[in-house]
């Protein structure tokens, strides 16, 4: 009986500890969203770690201070919402939502969504309130990405569809008699635009599969110099304004990889170099190796990339430059696909670039052991 009593006591003790760990105050304090509780004088009684990081003020310094001293929220015109739109001053019970910009201690602004839960007396005097502060930057970035996707895809799809329809309609006219040369010319254009449309749809499908983790690698030994020359020859036949050259040392090692996926990486990088070198010139592909890795570099003498843009180039749908000022059409998926496929092979990809001087995109792959080769 003593042993049973001991087990029961231990169980009760653990239950009490668990209840203490799960109190509302502890849960809110550990929340990923910013949270603070206020008294009737709008002084802070609870200030969690997440809000401390957003505002840049420690929890100890925040307790007891007025909320408007720390939560400096402004609208898009720079007007303080604490002075003009604060729900705490309305004298009303209920929940209220506000969007604004939070001025941080380091001088930056952060897009935030604020949710107020306000309790007032019958005469409208504030009793208590809780304020939830959520960083809205990620949510707005998702909305921006969605808008960019729709705009880019609409533009990219409309052009080949319009050309295909126009040429097909022209060739099908009953009142016209076209020469064999004209028919071949327009059919060739239809074929080219169909290929362009197919490539765009394929890129979107591949992106979707990459996001879902549904892309598998068919690994085998790959002769990268030969693969690169093949891609260069194919792209050179479609481009008359650039010279595409490749250079590899004679002892360049074979690597273990998926030929189709590596073809996609090479194609995207070379096409990118061609697009962003509008004045022509040379696009060079060079290979090198170390004891542990091989490196492929695609360089051009095009427009180059700003340092700020370089940090985000490999994100989905991101395109460098100001909206409406793109050098070449595109969806911003090519470099994202390159990064995803290179990472799937256990490699890395990066860029070195200066505006007006061109860019060098390099990706690495693990070197295959001599035994495997």
């Amino acid at each position: 009986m003593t042993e049973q009593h001991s087990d029961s006591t231990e169980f009760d003790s653990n239950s009490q500890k668990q209840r203490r760990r799960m109190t509302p105050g502890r849960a809110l304090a550990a929340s990923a969203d910013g949270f603070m509780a206020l008294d009737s004088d709008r002084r802070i009684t609870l200030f969690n770690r997440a809000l401390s990081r957003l505002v840049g003020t420690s929890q100890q310094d925040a307790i007891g201070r007025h909320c408007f001293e720390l939560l400096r929220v402004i609208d898009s015109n720079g007007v303080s919402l604490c002075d003009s739109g604060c729900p705490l001053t309305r004298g009303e019970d209920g929940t209220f939502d506000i969007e604004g910009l939070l001025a941080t201690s380091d001088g930056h602004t952060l897009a935030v969504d604020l949710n107020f839960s306000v309790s007032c007396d019958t005469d409208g005097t504030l009793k208590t309130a809780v304020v939830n502060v959520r960083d809205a930057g990620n949510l707005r970035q998702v909305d921006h990405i969605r808008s960019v996707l729709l705009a880019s895809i609409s533009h990219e799809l409309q052009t080949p569809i319009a050309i295909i329809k126009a040429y097909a309609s022209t060739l099908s006219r009953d009142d016209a008699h076209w020469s064999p040369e004209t028919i071949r010319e327009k059919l060739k254009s239809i074929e080219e635009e169909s290929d362009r449309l197919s490539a765009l749809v394929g890129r979107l499908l591949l992106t979707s599969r990459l996001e879902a983790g549904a892309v598998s690698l068919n690994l085998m030994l790959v002769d990268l110099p030969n693969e690169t020359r093949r891609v260069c020859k194919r792209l050179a036949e479609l481009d008359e304004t650039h010279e595409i050259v490749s250079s590899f040392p004679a002892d360049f090692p074979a690597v273990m990889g998926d030929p189709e996926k590596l073809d996609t990486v090479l194609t995207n990088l070379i096409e990118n170099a061609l697009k962003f070198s509008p004045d022509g010139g040379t696009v060079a592909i060079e290979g090198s190796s170390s004891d542990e890795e091989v490196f492929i570099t695609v360089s051009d003498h095009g427009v180059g990339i700003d340092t700020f843009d370089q940090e985000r180039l490999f994100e989905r749908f991101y395109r460098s430059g100001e909206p409406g000022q793109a050098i070449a059409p595109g969806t911003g998926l090519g470099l994202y696909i390159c990064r995803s496929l290179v990472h799937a092979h256990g490699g890395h990809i990066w860029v070195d670039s200066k505006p007006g001087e061109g860019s060098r995109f390099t990706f690495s792959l693990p070197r295959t052991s001599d035994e495997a080769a």
Side-chain angles (χ1 to χ4, degrees):
M1 295 294 293
T2 303
E3 184 175 349
Q4 292 178 352
H5 177 73
S6 174
D7 289 344
S8 177
T9 302
E10 182 178 355
F11 176 80
D12 291 342
S13 176
N14 289 338
S15 297
Q16 291 171 3
K17 290 179 181 179
Q18 185 176 16
R19 284 195 295 270
R20 285 197 297 270
R21 287 197 298 266
M22 298 300 293
T23 57
R26 289 176 181 268
L28 292 171
S31 171
D33 292 340
F35 178 89
M36 65 179 176
L38 308 173
D39 63 14
S40 59
D41 194 35
R42 297 167 67 183
R43 292 185 181 274
I44 300 170
T45 59
L46 177 63
F47 195 84
N48 74 347
R49 287 190 297 270
L51 189 53
S52 176
R53 288 191 294 269
L54 286 176
V55 176
T57 301
S58 69
Q59 294 172 277
Q60 293 80 3
D61 291 340
I63 299 300
R65 296 177 63 180
H66 289 104
C67 60
F68 48 81
E69 297 179 53
L70 299 181
L71 207 63
R72 299 176 295 276
V73 182
I74 58 176
D75 62 19
S76 58
N77 297 317
V79 177
S80 172
L81 292 176
C82 293
D83 296 333
S84 62
C86 180
L88 302 176
T89 61
R90 299 179 184 177
E92 301 176 11
D93 274 334
T95 58
F96 309 90
D97 294 310
I98 289 181
E99 295 181 359
L101 299 172
L102 175 66
T104 61
S105 60
D106 58 4
H108 293 85
T109 56
L110 181 70
V112 291
D113 292 332
L114 297 94
N115 176 265
F116 292 77
S117 180
V118 183
S119 176
C120 296
D121 285 324
T122 54
D123 61 357
T125 302
L126 177 67
K127 292 196 298 183
T128 59
V130 294
V131 184
N132 181 269
V133 184
R134 174 170 294 178
D135 181 353
N138 290 335
L139 295 176
R140 294 186 184 183
Q141 184 179 11
V142 170
D143 289 337
H144 174 69
I145 287 174
R146 184 183 295 112
S147 298
V148 170
L149 170 62
L150 291 174
S152 298
I153 299 307
S154 297
H155 174 75
E156 291 295 302
L157 288 175
Q158 283 176 354
T159 301
I161 290 174
I163 293 175
I164 291 170
K165 179 176 175 56
Y167 284 158
S169 298
T170 299
L171 292 175
S172 65
R173 286 176 53 184
D174 295 330
D175 61 341
H177 300 282
W178 307 111
S179 67
E181 292 78 11
T182 299
I183 293 174
R184 281 195 297 270
E185 178 186 342
K186 295 191 181 302
L187 287 176
K188 182 179 179 181
S189 296
I190 290 174
E191 182 181 15
E192 290 174 351
E193 294 303 323
S194 297
D195 289 341
R196 177 179 171 185
L197 190 59
S198 177
L200 173 60
V201 173
R203 184 166 290 186
L204 291 170
L205 290 174
L206 178 56
T207 301
S208 177
R209 292 170 60 201
L210 288 170
E211 284 294 297
V215 174
S216 59
L217 299 181
N218 181 25
L219 297 176
M220 61 183 70
L221 283 176
V222 179
D223 183 343
L224 273 176
N226 185 60
E227 186 71 24
T228 300
R229 285 190 289 267
R230 191 180 64 80
V231 174
C232 290
K233 182 177 184 296
R234 185 181 76 240
L235 295 179
E237 292 174 351
L238 303 175
D239 187 289
E240 299 179 353
T241 60
H242 299 82
E243 182 182 10
I244 306 174
V245 298
S246 64
S247 173
F248 287 81
D251 60 348
F252 192 86
V255 298
M256 191 67 71
D258 184 321
E260 180 183 350
K261 305 302 188 300
L262 294 178
D263 179 292
T264 298
V265 173
L266 289 166
T267 299
N268 284 351
L269 290 179
I270 297 173
E271 286 184 339
N272 203 62
L274 296 173
K275 284 197 301 183
F276 290 93
S277 303
D279 297 327
T282 300
V283 172
I285 301 90
E286 301 171 276
S288 61
S289 64
S290 67
D291 291 339
E292 297 181 349
E293 295 176 296
V294 300
F295 306 92
I296 308 293
T297 297
V298 179
S299 59
D300 63 67
H301 301 283
V303 298
I305 305 164
D306 186 82
T307 302
F308 173 80
D309 288 321
Q310 291 180 33
E311 299 177 359
R312 300 189 58 193
L313 272 182
F314 298 98
E315 297 178 12
R316 284 180 309 160
F317 311 120
Y318 186 80
R319 303 196 66 214
S320 60
E322 295 295 324
Q325 298 180 358
I327 299 297
T331 57
L333 291 175
L335 292 177
Y336 166 77
I337 290 173
C338 288
R339 183 189 65 176
S340 300
L341 294 179
V342 168
H343 285 182
H345 281 81
H348 302 280
I349 187 169
W350 62 94
V351 62
D352 296 307
S353 183
K354 290 183 179 180
E357 298 184 16
S359 305
R360 288 171 55 87
F361 284 87
T362 302
F363 69 92
S364 66
L365 298 172
R367 184 165 176 168
T368 303
S369 64
D370 294 336
E371 292 77 6

